[in-house]
Amino acid sequence: MRKPKVLLSWSSGKDSAWALHVLRQRGEVEVVGLVTTINEAFDRVAMHGVRAELVEAQARAAELPLWRVPLPWPCSNDDYENRMRALIETARAAGVTAFAFGDLFLADIRAYRERQLAGTGLEPLFPVWGTPDDTPSLARAMIGAGFRATLACVDPRQLSPTFAGREFDMDLLADLPPGVDPCGERGEFHTFCHVGPIFTTPVEVRRGDVVERDGFWFADLLPEPGSH
């Protein structure tokens, strides 16, 4: 029997990368594509602010097609849901039967995704789901497994902007203030994953300017010259 075909929601960060790692290790489904919402106005990943060309490089390194979902700017919730519905129709026509997410423990986010997929024919999957108590060991497991990521976005209401552009490593975990989730699951920070066992080759990046936009701090990650 053929394995069920699954799309994976791909933010470009470590949690998405870990979810792909887990799904591949379990071997119960076939991940057939990475789904990324792209801000049409800036050609960057929605929320994370990562350049679309870097996400395309990730997809090539993971040997998976990138399913881009273009979003207008500004983007209303209706706009978002309409674009996602169109994606789901395309996925069903391609024989996809499930949609996986790298959510860790936020029950309201999980419930929203389940509502959005209800009645669509696509089953929601949460391969790395756990509790807030799991994330300290999960963060260490990611680093121990060889994943490397850079903090691309920081919410200054929860974490100092000085963390923008830092590497997600053991030193960073040690420096996080009490109350900040080690995986940034409450939106404290977002990452860009550039090395890991899911990739055939590293996605070479360097840090550009760190800037404030719309109340968040972003480290502009740039492709290394000559990298593809």
Side-chain angles (χ1 to χ4, degrees), residues 7-8 31-35 56 59-60 62-68:
L7 288 177
L8 173 62
V31 179
V32 296
L34 307 177
V35 176
E56 289 164 358
R60 287 194 299 273
E63 298 186 311
L64 288 169
L66 183 68
W67 293 42
R68 292 174 58 132

Coordinates of all heavy atoms in Angstrom, one line a residue, residues 7-8 31-35 56 59-60 62-68:
L7 N 0.9 17.1 3.3 CA 1.6 18.4 3.2 C 2.0 18.9 4.6 O 1.3 18.6 5.6 CB 0.6 19.5 2.6 CG 0.3 19.4 1.1 CD1 -0.7 20.4 0.7 CD2 1.6 19.5 0.3
L8 N 3.1 19.6 4.7 CA 3.6 20.1 6.0 C 3.6 21.6 6.0 O 4.2 22.2 5.1 CB 5.0 19.6 6.3 CG 5.7 20.1 7.5 CD1 4.9 19.8 8.8 CD2 7.1 19.6 7.6
V31 N 5.6 12.8 3.1 CA 5.5 14.3 3.0 C 5.8 14.6 1.5 O 6.9 14.3 1.0 CB 6.5 15.0 3.9 CG1 6.4 16.5 3.8 CG2 6.2 14.6 5.4
V32 N 4.8 15.3 0.9 CA 4.9 15.6 -0.6 C 5.1 17.0 -0.9 O 5.3 17.4 -2.0 CB 3.7 15.0 -1.3 CG1 3.6 13.5 -1.2 CG2 2.4 15.7 -0.8
G33 N 5.1 17.9 0.2 CA 5.3 19.3 -0.1 C 5.3 20.1 1.2 O 4.8 19.7 2.2
L34 N 6.0 21.3 1.1 CA 6.1 22.2 2.2 C 5.2 23.4 1.8 O 5.3 24.0 0.8 CB 7.5 22.7 2.4 CG 8.5 21.6 2.6 CD1 9.9 22.2 2.7 CD2 8.2 20.7 3.8
V35 N 4.3 23.8 2.7 CA 3.4 24.9 2.5 C 3.8 26.1 3.3 O 3.9 26.1 4.5 CB 1.9 24.5 2.9 CG1 1.0 25.7 2.7 CG2 1.4 23.3 2.1
E56 N 12.8 28.8 -0.5 CA 13.0 28.0 -1.7 C 14.3 27.1 -1.6 O 14.3 25.9 -2.0 CB 13.0 28.8 -2.9 CG 11.6 29.4 -3.2 CD 11.7 30.6 -4.2 OE1 12.8 31.0 -4.6 OE2 10.6 31.1 -4.5
A59 N 13.6 24.2 0.7 CA 12.8 23.2 0.1 C 13.7 22.3 -0.9 O 13.6 21.1 -0.9 CB 11.7 23.8 -0.7
R60 N 14.6 23.0 -1.6 CA 15.5 22.2 -2.4 C 16.4 21.3 -1.6 O 16.6 20.2 -1.9 CB 16.4 23.2 -3.3 CG 15.7 23.9 -4.4 CD 16.6 24.5 -5.4 NE 17.4 25.6 -4.7 CZ 17.1 26.8 -4.6 NH1 15.9 27.2 -5.0 NH2 17.9 27.7 -4.0
A62 N 15.7 20.1 1.3 CA 14.9 19.0 1.8 C 14.3 18.1 0.7 O 13.6 17.1 1.0 CB 13.7 19.6 2.6
E63 N 14.6 18.4 -0.5 CA 14.2 17.7 -1.7 C 12.6 17.5 -1.7 O 12.1 16.4 -1.9 CB 14.9 16.3 -1.7 CG 16.4 16.4 -1.8 CD 17.1 15.1 -2.0 OE1 16.8 14.1 -1.2 OE2 17.9 15.0 -2.9
L64 N 12.0 18.6 -1.5 CA 10.5 18.7 -1.5 C 10.1 19.9 -2.3 O 10.7 21.0 -2.2 CB 9.9 18.7 -0.1 CG 10.0 17.4 0.7 CD1 9.7 17.7 2.2 CD2 9.1 16.4 0.1
P65 N 8.9 19.8 -3.0 CA 8.4 21.0 -3.6 C 7.9 22.0 -2.6 O 7.3 21.6 -1.6 CB 7.3 20.5 -4.5 CG 6.9 19.2 -3.9 CD 8.1 18.6 -3.3
L66 N 8.0 23.3 -2.9 CA 7.5 24.4 -2.0 C 6.1 24.8 -2.6 O 6.0 25.2 -3.7 CB 8.4 25.6 -2.0 CG 8.0 26.7 -1.0 CD1 8.1 26.3 0.4 CD2 8.9 27.9 -1.3
W67 N 5.1 24.7 -1.8 CA 3.8 25.2 -2.1 C 3.6 26.6 -1.5 O 3.3 26.7 -0.4 CB 2.7 24.2 -1.6 CG 2.7 22.9 -2.2 CD1 3.7 22.0 -2.5 CD2 1.5 22.1 -2.6 NE1 3.3 20.9 -3.0 CE2 1.9 20.9 -3.1 CE3 0.1 22.4 -2.5 CZ2 1.0 19.9 -3.5 CZ3 -0.8 21.4 -2.9 CH2 -0.3 20.2 -3.5
R68 N 3.7 27.6 -2.4 CA 3.6 28.9 -1.9 C 2.2 29.4 -1.8 O 1.4 29.1 -2.8 CB 4.4 29.9 -2.9 CG 5.9 29.7 -2.8 CD 6.6 30.6 -3.9 NE 6.3 32.0 -3.8 CZ 7.2 32.9 -3.8 NH1 8.5 32.6 -3.9 NH2 6.9 34.2 -3.7

